[in-house]
Amino acid sequence: ETLTQSISDSLQSARCKCPAQLLECLGSLILTTRDMFSEFTVMCLPVLLESMANDEWAVRKKAIEVLICLGRSVPTKLFPYQGEILEVVNHCKSDKFKPVRDV
């Protein structure tokens, strides 16, 4: 819980200098813990959605990848947020950077 909270807080900080790397850590944490991560989904989802609108294309791409990991690990926890997720994902489908669109 502390690690997940620290990553989320750091990503939301304006001083964060390495958001893509922190998202990579979050993705690894999700893949490692799988079902045990379900209780932290609500904490991480707003951060992921916000990161998908980041100015840096690498951050947007990594946020989508982490969301995919989360969806594969705990899909039922994402159902209540389906509308919000689809809205942001649809916006990313028309991103000007090909790596973001391809995810």
Side-chain angles (χ1 to χ4, degrees):
E1 178 180 359
T2 305
L3 181 59
T4 306
Q5 185 65 50
S6 294
I7 292 172
S8 294
D9 290 346
S10 295
L11 282 167
Q12 290 175 322
S13 170
R15 298 179 312 191
C16 182
K17 302 289 184 201
C18 54
Q21 291 81 358
L22 283 173
L23 287 168
E24 181 72 34
C25 292
L26 184 59
S28 296
L29 184 63
I30 292 167
L31 288 173
T32 304
T33 58
R34 297 274 177 184
D35 293 337
M36 293 184 295
F37 195 83
S38 65
E39 64 186 270
F40 306 112
T41 302
V42 174
M43 179 192 327
C44 292
L45 191 57
V47 175
L48 288 175
L49 294 176
E50 185 178 312
S51 295
M52 290 170 68
N54 192 288
D55 292 338
E56 296 180 40
W57 70 267
V59 175
R60 294 192 301 270
K61 179 180 183 282
K62 188 53 67 180
I64 295 168
E65 291 171 352
V66 173
L67 185 62
I68 291 168
C69 288
L70 191 59
R72 288 181 179 156
S73 298
V74 287
T76 56
K77 290 289 188 175
L78 296 181
F79 287 149
Y81 308 99
Q82 191 172 347
E84 295 171 61
I85 293 169
L86 287 175
E87 183 179 324
V88 176
V89 168
N90 283 332
H91 180 71
C92 289
K93 285 169 57 175
S94 62
D95 198 278
K96 65 182 180 178
F97 290 97
K98 188 174 180 351
V100 176
R101 290 191 309 264
D102 289 347
V103 177

